[in-house]
Amino acid sequence: MPATTATTQDFVPYATAAIDFHRALNIPAGPLVASRAELDSLHEHLVSLHGLLDAHAQRTYPLLPGEGDHLKAARTRLGQAADHLHTAYHCSPRPGTGEVPSPDACRARLPEGAPELTICRRHQETAQLVRRRTTPADLHSPFTGLVRR
């Protein structure tokens, strides 16, 4: 595997710094309800991380199964975290009215129309990848990585 060269640009540290900067500037101390826009942005970010880890897991596993197992486990957990953010989005107050959906409406996950449908479409695309790359046992296991020595 080639080492990182001077011409290779690694943008992940910049993304991490941007999230830290966003939190410092936009999340005040004290109680605050996350807006739907914030939850949508966080969901999009997790889905992007999921895709990055999926690419690494797929390439690494054939060469180093031990490392690949842990990358797959991290990918699985990010998929689960994105699922929770998607659910939190549908449980959060609607813009304009401030209406909080009922628990039944949240569980039904009925699309609310554009632009809210964007998070659902993104989530469904990620869910398809999760279903292709993981088993039900992986999703329900408290530990998804095998230990290889």
Side-chain angles (χ1 to χ4, degrees):
M1 293 182 64
T4 303
T5 64
T7 59
T8 302
Q9 183 67 43
D10 185 5
F11 293 105
V12 175
Y14 297 110
T16 303
I19 288 174
D20 290 341
F21 191 63
H22 170 79
R23 184 189 67 231
L25 289 179
N26 296 322
I27 308 295
L32 175 71
V33 174
S35 70
R36 283 185 157 205
E38 178 88 0
L39 293 172
D40 184 30
S41 294
L42 287 170
H43 184 268
E44 186 173 17
H45 186 74
L46 278 185
V47 166
S48 293
L49 280 173
H50 182 270
L52 177 61
L53 277 175
D54 180 58
H56 282 305
Q58 294 299 104
R59 293 174 52 136
T60 302
Y61 185 80
L63 302 172
L64 296 169
E67 180 183 350
D69 283 339
H70 289 286
L71 290 172
K72 287 178 179 184
R75 175 194 62 202
T76 299
R77 294 299 186 226
L78 277 176
Q80 291 171 325
D83 186 51
H84 285 289
L85 274 174
H86 179 252
T87 302
Y89 176 90
H90 285 294
C91 293
S92 66
R94 292 190 172 107
T97 65
E99 174 192 356
V100 177
S102 71
D104 292 333
C106 295
R107 280 191 290 276
R109 293 186 181 173
L110 299 174
E112 299 171 30
E116 288 82 6
L117 187 58
T118 304
I119 189 172
C120 295
R121 185 180 66 240
R122 181 185 330 115
H123 188 69
Q124 290 303 317
E125 291 168 1
T126 304
Q128 287 178 341
L129 181 62
V130 168
R131 284 191 297 273
R132 280 196 306 260
R133 302 271 202 252
T134 58
T135 66
D138 292 335
L139 296 173
H140 293 93
S141 172
F143 178 70
T144 59
L146 300 174
V147 177
R148 295 180 191 256
R149 294 190 191 255

